[in-house]
Amino acid sequence: DGGITQSPKYLFRKEGQNVTLSCEQNLNHDAMYWYRQDPGQGLRLIYYSQIVNDFQKGDIAEGYSVSREKKESFPLTVTSAQKNPTAFYLCASSILDRGPNQPQHFGDGTRLSIL
Amino acid sequence: GQQLNQSPQSMFIQEGEDVSMNCTSSSIFNTWLWYKQEPGEGPVLLIALYKAGELTSNGRLTAQFGITRKDSFLNISASIPSDVGIYFCAGRMNTGFQKLVFGTGTRLLVSP
């Protein structure tokens, strides 16, 4: 089945540790996105990428880093500089070549907690 | 970053009732999307709207793109227990890229 796969489902981070969240899609989508979700809030954009080897900061990029070495993959690293990393992280993707209005489709998320 | 005003925050209804929720923005949008999220899962797209005044249905769900392009609503008719979840609106402004702005969500609980 085509879709977006996020792993792991649950992740724990120790103080001062970097952790990497995986996002893989087999939909042949061009654009990929990372969002953070906190209780009672909407989704906030961390980073996005329209094409391989290119990405841009979203609204809350501080303390996070990404890479886009392959079209299918867009891993997110939560660095030790992110002081409040506990949240639900969602990856999304969308088509670009049919115009700018294609909806984003989401993975099932990774819940990150601090030990 | 900007977030949309979505209301109500939560609703607790009886099975069979109709539900209405809405989103408003101070900015004009060229796309409105409605998603549903169940616990521990990612949002699933329900309806996409692309033109002012557009009214689109998906089964018991109906959504409309407001004439002013600053609002949208979602109706659910004859609710059932599996409608439980958080419903998010999302809008895209008239820019060159598909950056979405999300509402804060409406939590729906349905009593059998």
Side-chain angles (χ1 to χ4, degrees), chain A residues 69-99:
Chain A
E69 297 177 2
K70 298 187 299 182
K71 187 176 184 179
E72 304 80 21
S73 179
F74 191 40
L76 173 74
T77 297
V78 184
T79 75
S80 56
Q82 172 49 247
K83 298 306 179 188
N84 184 23
T86 297
F88 192 49
Y89 290 87
L90 287 159
C91 177
S93 69
S94 66
I95 299 170
L96 285 182
D97 61 1
R98 294 180 196 170

mmCIF file of all heavy atoms in Angstrom, chain A residues 69-99:
data_model
loop_
_atom_site.group_PDB
_atom_site.id
_atom_site.type_symbol
_atom_site.label_atom_id
_atom_site.label_comp_id
_atom_site.label_asym_id
_atom_site.label_seq_id
_atom_site.Cartn_x
_atom_site.Cartn_y
_atom_site.Cartn_z
ATOM 1 N N GLU A 69 18.002 13.872 1.328
ATOM 2 C CA GLU A 69 18.956 13.276 0.390
ATOM 3 C C GLU A 69 18.263 12.413 -0.654
ATOM 4 O O GLU A 69 18.806 12.161 -1.737
ATOM 5 C CB GLU A 69 19.991 12.466 1.163
ATOM 6 C CG GLU A 69 20.840 13.323 2.100
ATOM 7 C CD GLU A 69 21.824 12.488 2.913
ATOM 8 O OE1 GLU A 69 21.875 11.262 2.712
ATOM 9 O OE2 GLU A 69 22.533 13.078 3.747
ATOM 10 N N LYS A 70 17.082 11.941 -0.344
ATOM 11 C CA LYS A 70 16.293 11.132 -1.272
ATOM 12 C C LYS A 70 14.870 11.673 -1.317
ATOM 13 O O LYS A 70 14.370 12.198 -0.310
ATOM 14 C CB LYS A 70 16.253 9.668 -0.820
ATOM 15 C CG LYS A 70 17.585 8.979 -0.761
ATOM 16 C CD LYS A 70 17.400 7.496 -0.458
ATOM 17 C CE LYS A 70 16.720 7.273 0.875
ATOM 18 N NZ LYS A 70 16.580 5.825 1.186
ATOM 19 N N LYS A 71 14.202 11.500 -2.437
ATOM 20 C CA LYS A 71 12.831 11.994 -2.578
ATOM 21 C C LYS A 71 11.905 11.328 -1.565
ATOM 22 O O LYS A 71 10.968 11.946 -1.061
ATOM 23 C CB LYS A 71 12.328 11.702 -3.992
ATOM 24 C CG LYS A 71 10.982 12.304 -4.324
ATOM 25 C CD LYS A 71 10.625 12.049 -5.769
ATOM 26 C CE LYS A 71 9.318 12.731 -6.142
ATOM 27 N NZ LYS A 71 8.971 12.520 -7.560
ATOM 28 N N GLU A 72 12.190 10.070 -1.237
ATOM 29 C CA GLU A 72 11.289 9.302 -0.391
ATOM 30 C C GLU A 72 11.451 9.585 1.097
ATOM 31 O O GLU A 72 10.613 9.190 1.905
ATOM 32 C CB GLU A 72 11.523 7.798 -0.595
ATOM 33 C CG GLU A 72 11.382 7.323 -2.021
ATOM 34 C CD GLU A 72 12.615 7.604 -2.859
ATOM 35 O OE1 GLU A 72 13.718 7.792 -2.293
ATOM 36 O OE2 GLU A 72 12.486 7.661 -4.100
ATOM 37 N N SER A 73 12.534 10.220 1.492
ATOM 38 C CA SER A 73 12.895 10.272 2.902
ATOM 39 C C SER A 73 13.140 11.698 3.395
ATOM 40 O O SER A 73 13.809 12.493 2.707
ATOM 41 C CB SER A 73 14.158 9.428 3.117
ATOM 42 O OG SER A 73 14.563 9.467 4.458
ATOM 43 N N PHE A 74 12.649 12.010 4.590
ATOM 44 C CA PHE A 74 12.812 13.362 5.144
ATOM 45 C C PHE A 74 12.964 13.240 6.660
ATOM 46 O O PHE A 74 12.053 13.563 7.423
ATOM 47 C CB PHE A 74 11.592 14.204 4.777
ATOM 48 C CG PHE A 74 11.725 15.689 5.041
ATOM 49 C CD1 PHE A 74 12.917 16.363 4.788
ATOM 50 C CD2 PHE A 74 10.640 16.414 5.509
ATOM 51 C CE1 PHE A 74 13.026 17.725 5.010
ATOM 52 C CE2 PHE A 74 10.734 17.786 5.733
ATOM 53 C CZ PHE A 74 11.931 18.441 5.480
ATOM 54 N N PRO A 75 14.116 12.795 7.146
ATOM 55 C CA PRO A 75 14.285 12.609 8.585
ATOM 56 C C PRO A 75 14.411 13.927 9.341
ATOM 57 O O PRO A 75 14.975 14.896 8.820
ATOM 58 C CB PRO A 75 15.583 11.798 8.683
ATOM 59 C CG PRO A 75 16.319 12.114 7.420
ATOM 60 C CD PRO A 75 15.278 12.342 6.370
ATOM 61 N N LEU A 76 13.896 13.930 10.557
ATOM 62 C CA LEU A 76 13.933 15.099 11.441
ATOM 63 C C LEU A 76 14.786 14.770 12.655
ATOM 64 O O LEU A 76 14.549 13.759 13.317
ATOM 65 C CB LEU A 76 12.527 15.462 11.910
ATOM 66 C CG LEU A 76 12.414 16.563 12.974
ATOM 67 C CD1 LEU A 76 12.675 17.935 12.346
ATOM 68 C CD2 LEU A 76 11.033 16.547 13.638
ATOM 69 N N THR A 77 15.775 15.611 12.936
ATOM 70 C CA THR A 77 16.582 15.462 14.144
ATOM 71 C C THR A 77 16.166 16.504 15.159
ATOM 72 O O THR A 77 16.144 17.700 14.847
ATOM 73 C CB THR A 77 18.081 15.584 13.834
ATOM 74 O OG1 THR A 77 18.464 14.514 12.960
ATOM 75 C CG2 THR A 77 18.908 15.492 15.116
ATOM 76 N N VAL A 78 15.823 16.036 16.353
ATOM 77 C CA VAL A 78 15.518 16.924 17.464
ATOM 78 C C VAL A 78 16.804 17.059 18.264
ATOM 79 O O VAL A 78 17.290 16.075 18.845
ATOM 80 C CB VAL A 78 14.386 16.345 18.330
ATOM 81 C CG1 VAL A 78 14.015 17.320 19.437
ATOM 82 C CG2 VAL A 78 13.173 16.010 17.476
ATOM 83 N N THR A 79 17.385 18.217 18.254
ATOM 84 C CA THR A 79 18.692 18.393 18.883
ATOM 85 C C THR A 79 18.545 18.750 20.354
ATOM 86 O O THR A 79 17.449 19.092 20.835
ATOM 87 C CB THR A 79 19.500 19.483 18.166
ATOM 88 O OG1 THR A 79 18.959 20.758 18.523
ATOM 89 C CG2 THR A 79 19.471 19.289 16.654
ATOM 90 N N SER A 80 19.677 18.720 21.060
ATOM 91 C CA SER A 80 19.675 19.062 22.482
ATOM 92 C C SER A 80 19.335 20.534 22.696
ATOM 93 O O SER A 80 18.997 20.945 23.812
ATOM 94 C CB SER A 80 21.036 18.736 23.102
ATOM 95 O OG SER A 80 22.058 19.413 22.404
ATOM 96 N N ALA A 81 19.393 21.325 21.635
ATOM 97 C CA ALA A 81 19.046 22.747 21.736
ATOM 98 C C ALA A 81 17.539 22.959 21.854
ATOM 99 O O ALA A 81 17.090 24.046 22.243
ATOM 100 C CB ALA A 81 19.577 23.496 20.518
ATOM 101 N N GLN A 82 16.766 21.947 21.534
ATOM 102 C CA GLN A 82 15.307 22.044 21.658
ATOM 103 C C GLN A 82 14.953 21.718 23.101
ATOM 104 O O GLN A 82 14.974 20.547 23.507
ATOM 105 C CB GLN A 82 14.616 21.093 20.687
ATOM 106 C CG GLN A 82 13.106 20.968 20.847
ATOM 107 C CD GLN A 82 12.368 22.293 20.928
ATOM 108 O OE1 GLN A 82 11.805 22.641 21.963
ATOM 109 N NE2 GLN A 82 12.395 23.028 19.840
ATOM 110 N N LYS A 83 14.628 22.727 23.887
ATOM 111 C CA LYS A 83 14.473 22.562 25.340
ATOM 112 C C LYS A 83 13.139 21.981 25.744
ATOM 113 O O LYS A 83 12.986 21.519 26.877
ATOM 114 C CB LYS A 83 14.667 23.922 26.026
ATOM 115 C CG LYS A 83 16.058 24.508 25.814
ATOM 116 C CD LYS A 83 17.151 23.529 26.219
ATOM 117 C CE LYS A 83 18.536 24.106 25.978
ATOM 118 N NZ LYS A 83 19.599 23.088 26.184
ATOM 119 N N ASN A 84 12.185 22.000 24.870
ATOM 120 C CA ASN A 84 10.868 21.448 25.199
ATOM 121 C C ASN A 84 10.420 20.515 24.081
ATOM 122 O O ASN A 84 9.480 20.827 23.339
ATOM 123 C CB ASN A 84 9.853 22.583 25.386
ATOM 124 C CG ASN A 84 8.506 22.069 25.816
ATOM 125 O OD1 ASN A 84 8.394 20.982 26.384
ATOM 126 N ND2 ASN A 84 7.462 22.825 25.526
ATOM 127 N N PRO A 85 11.081 19.375 23.929
ATOM 128 C CA PRO A 85 10.816 18.527 22.766
ATOM 129 C C PRO A 85 9.612 17.608 22.893
ATOM 130 O O PRO A 85 9.201 16.997 21.909
ATOM 131 C CB PRO A 85 12.090 17.688 22.641
ATOM 132 C CG PRO A 85 12.556 17.557 24.056
ATOM 133 C CD PRO A 85 12.197 18.849 24.730
ATOM 134 N N THR A 86 9.044 17.489 24.084
ATOM 135 C CA THR A 86 7.928 16.558 24.283
ATOM 136 C C THR A 86 6.737 17.013 23.458
ATOM 137 O O THR A 86 6.174 18.085 23.677
ATOM 138 C CB THR A 86 7.549 16.503 25.763
ATOM 139 O OG1 THR A 86 8.654 15.993 26.507
ATOM 140 C CG2 THR A 86 6.332 15.598 25.966
ATOM 141 N N ALA A 87 6.336 16.179 22.489
ATOM 142 C CA ALA A 87 5.244 16.520 21.578
ATOM 143 C C ALA A 87 4.973 15.338 20.681
ATOM 144 O O ALA A 87 5.694 14.329 20.692
ATOM 145 C CB ALA A 87 5.604 17.746 20.739
ATOM 146 N N PHE A 88 3.934 15.482 19.870
ATOM 147 C CA PHE A 88 3.590 14.511 18.839
ATOM 148 C C PHE A 88 4.072 15.101 17.517
ATOM 149 O O PHE A 88 3.712 16.219 17.164
ATOM 150 C CB PHE A 88 2.072 14.299 18.840
ATOM 151 C CG PHE A 88 1.587 13.139 18.030
ATOM 152 C CD1 PHE A 88 2.165 11.886 18.160
ATOM 153 C CD2 PHE A 88 0.526 13.286 17.155
ATOM 154 C CE1 PHE A 88 1.699 10.802 17.430
ATOM 155 C CE2 PHE A 88 0.049 12.216 16.416
ATOM 156 C CZ PHE A 88 0.638 10.966 16.553
ATOM 157 N N TYR A 89 4.920 14.364 16.799
ATOM 158 C CA TYR A 89 5.512 14.877 15.573
ATOM 159 C C TYR A 89 4.883 14.183 14.367
ATOM 160 O O TYR A 89 4.824 12.955 14.298
ATOM 161 C CB TYR A 89 7.032 14.654 15.571
ATOM 162 C CG TYR A 89 7.718 15.540 16.577
ATOM 163 C CD1 TYR A 89 7.872 15.128 17.902
ATOM 164 C CD2 TYR A 89 8.195 16.798 16.220
ATOM 165 C CE1 TYR A 89 8.491 15.951 18.836
ATOM 166 C CE2 TYR A 89 8.815 17.625 17.145
ATOM 167 C CZ TYR A 89 8.948 17.187 18.449
ATOM 168 O OH TYR A 89 9.553 17.994 19.379
ATOM 169 N N LEU A 90 4.454 14.988 13.418
ATOM 170 C CA LEU A 90 3.761 14.480 12.238
ATOM 171 C C LEU A 90 4.513 14.854 10.979
ATOM 172 O O LEU A 90 4.934 15.996 10.801
ATOM 173 C CB LEU A 90 2.343 15.050 12.175
ATOM 174 C CG LEU A 90 1.371 14.467 13.195
ATOM 175 C CD1 LEU A 90 0.195 15.404 13.402
ATOM 176 C CD2 LEU A 90 0.887 13.102 12.746
ATOM 177 N N CYS A 91 4.655 13.890 10.112
ATOM 178 C CA CYS A 91 5.264 14.093 8.797
ATOM 179 C C CYS A 91 4.152 14.075 7.748
ATOM 180 O O CYS A 91 3.174 13.319 7.890
ATOM 181 C CB CYS A 91 6.274 12.977 8.537
ATOM 182 S SG CYS A 91 7.064 13.032 6.923
ATOM 183 N N ALA A 92 4.284 14.888 6.736
ATOM 184 C CA ALA A 92 3.282 14.937 5.666
ATOM 185 C C ALA A 92 3.979 15.058 4.322
ATOM 186 O O ALA A 92 5.169 15.401 4.252
ATOM 187 C CB ALA A 92 2.330 16.113 5.875
ATOM 188 N N SER A 93 3.246 14.769 3.259
ATOM 189 C CA SER A 93 3.786 14.938 1.912
ATOM 190 C C SER A 93 2.679 15.385 0.975
ATOM 191 O O SER A 93 1.484 15.232 1.278
ATOM 192 C CB SER A 93 4.429 13.643 1.411
ATOM 193 O OG SER A 93 3.450 12.639 1.177
ATOM 194 N N SER A 94 3.080 15.950 -0.158
ATOM 195 C CA SER A 94 2.100 16.372 -1.158
ATOM 196 C C SER A 94 2.738 16.410 -2.533
ATOM 197 O O SER A 94 3.959 16.492 -2.672
ATOM 198 C CB SER A 94 1.522 17.747 -0.815
ATOM 199 O OG SER A 94 2.517 18.745 -0.900
ATOM 200 N N ILE A 95 1.869 16.364 -3.552
ATOM 201 C CA ILE A 95 2.311 16.483 -4.943
ATOM 202 C C ILE A 95 2.510 17.964 -5.244
ATOM 203 O O ILE A 95 1.799 18.816 -4.714
ATOM 204 C CB ILE A 95 1.230 15.915 -5.883
ATOM 205 C CG1 ILE A 95 1.008 14.431 -5.579
ATOM 206 C CG2 ILE A 95 1.593 16.108 -7.336
ATOM 207 C CD1 ILE A 95 -0.193 13.853 -6.292
ATOM 208 N N LEU A 96 3.435 18.283 -6.112
ATOM 209 C CA LEU A 96 3.616 19.670 -6.528
ATOM 210 C C LEU A 96 3.288 19.898 -8.004
ATOM 211 O O LEU A 96 2.866 20.969 -8.382
ATOM 212 C CB LEU A 96 5.053 20.130 -6.283
ATOM 213 C CG LEU A 96 5.449 20.416 -4.848
ATOM 214 C CD1 LEU A 96 6.886 20.912 -4.790
ATOM 215 C CD2 LEU A 96 4.509 21.444 -4.226
ATOM 216 N N ASP A 97 3.449 18.881 -8.834
ATOM 217 C CA ASP A 97 3.411 19.137 -10.275
ATOM 218 C C ASP A 97 2.005 19.277 -10.840
ATOM 219 O O ASP A 97 1.836 19.488 -12.021
ATOM 220 C CB ASP A 97 4.187 18.063 -11.041
ATOM 221 C CG ASP A 97 3.604 16.675 -10.830
ATOM 222 O OD1 ASP A 97 2.600 16.535 -10.105
ATOM 223 O OD2 ASP A 97 4.174 15.724 -11.383
ATOM 224 N N ARG A 98 0.962 19.160 -9.968
ATOM 225 C CA ARG A 98 -0.398 19.397 -10.454
ATOM 226 C C ARG A 98 -0.899 20.758 -9.996
ATOM 227 O O ARG A 98 -2.092 20.970 -9.883
ATOM 228 C CB ARG A 98 -1.337 18.303 -9.944
ATOM 229 C CG ARG A 98 -1.013 16.940 -10.506
ATOM 230 C CD ARG A 98 -1.970 15.889 -9.980
ATOM 231 N NE ARG A 98 -1.467 14.545 -10.207
ATOM 232 C CZ ARG A 98 -1.994 13.456 -9.682
ATOM 233 N NH1 ARG A 98 -3.049 13.555 -8.910
ATOM 234 N NH2 ARG A 98 -1.476 12.274 -9.936
ATOM 235 N N GLY A 99 0.010 21.629 -9.686
ATOM 236 C CA GLY A 99 -0.394 22.942 -9.213
ATOM 237 C C GLY A 99 -0.192 23.064 -7.727
ATOM 238 O O GLY A 99 0.055 22.075 -7.033
#
